[in-house]
Amino acid sequence: MDRRSRRILQSVLVGYLALLAASIITGNPVVQTAADLGFAAVVGFFGYVVYTNRSPSDDERIVIGTAAAFVLAGVAQLLALVPGFETVSVASTGLFVLGFLGYFLLRR
């Protein structure tokens, strides 16, 4: 990953962590919704970064699976914000964990 992409990713993660902390501290539903939207953006961006920064030696199936898991986690998080679909947040969490497992397999 080049320096610019790393800086952008770090900035996005710091911003998300600040939003998450504010959500936990205040308990405000608007801030919690913003944190959920931030999570969707962060995991979607992370999926994009994993896919675009793959190396030729990486197993293509793991790269695609990892990127897809992150992007689908973001989509599921957005869907969980729709009234009546709150239980989809469990799928979002599961896909996020699968994405990180794939990421660790790629970086071993």
Side-chain angles (χ1 to χ4, degrees), residues 2-106:
D2 66 350
R3 178 179 263 191
R4 182 174 178 271
S5 295
R6 189 173 302 148
R7 271 268 211 261
I8 292 170
L9 185 59
Q10 288 173 346
S11 298
V12 168
L13 288 174
V14 167
Y16 171 67
L17 289 176
L19 189 59
L20 184 62
S23 168
I24 292 169
I25 291 169
T26 65
N28 185 326
V30 173
V31 178
Q32 289 174 346
T33 301
D36 289 341
L37 289 171
F39 176 77
V42 166
V43 296
F45 181 70
F46 203 68
Y48 169 77
V49 169
V50 166
Y51 185 75
T52 57
N53 290 312
R54 64 191 183 276
S55 70
S57 64
D58 288 341
D59 185 351
E60 191 71 19
R61 294 172 298 173
I62 296 175
V63 170
I64 291 172
T66 300
F70 281 131
V71 170
L72 289 173
V75 171
Q77 188 66 34
L78 290 174
L79 189 59
L81 293 173
V82 176
F85 289 96
E86 293 85 9
T87 57
V88 178
S89 64
V90 174
S92 176
T93 303
L95 288 165
F96 179 71
V97 169
L98 286 175
F100 259 106
L101 290 175
Y103 180 77
F104 288 130
L105 279 175
L106 289 172

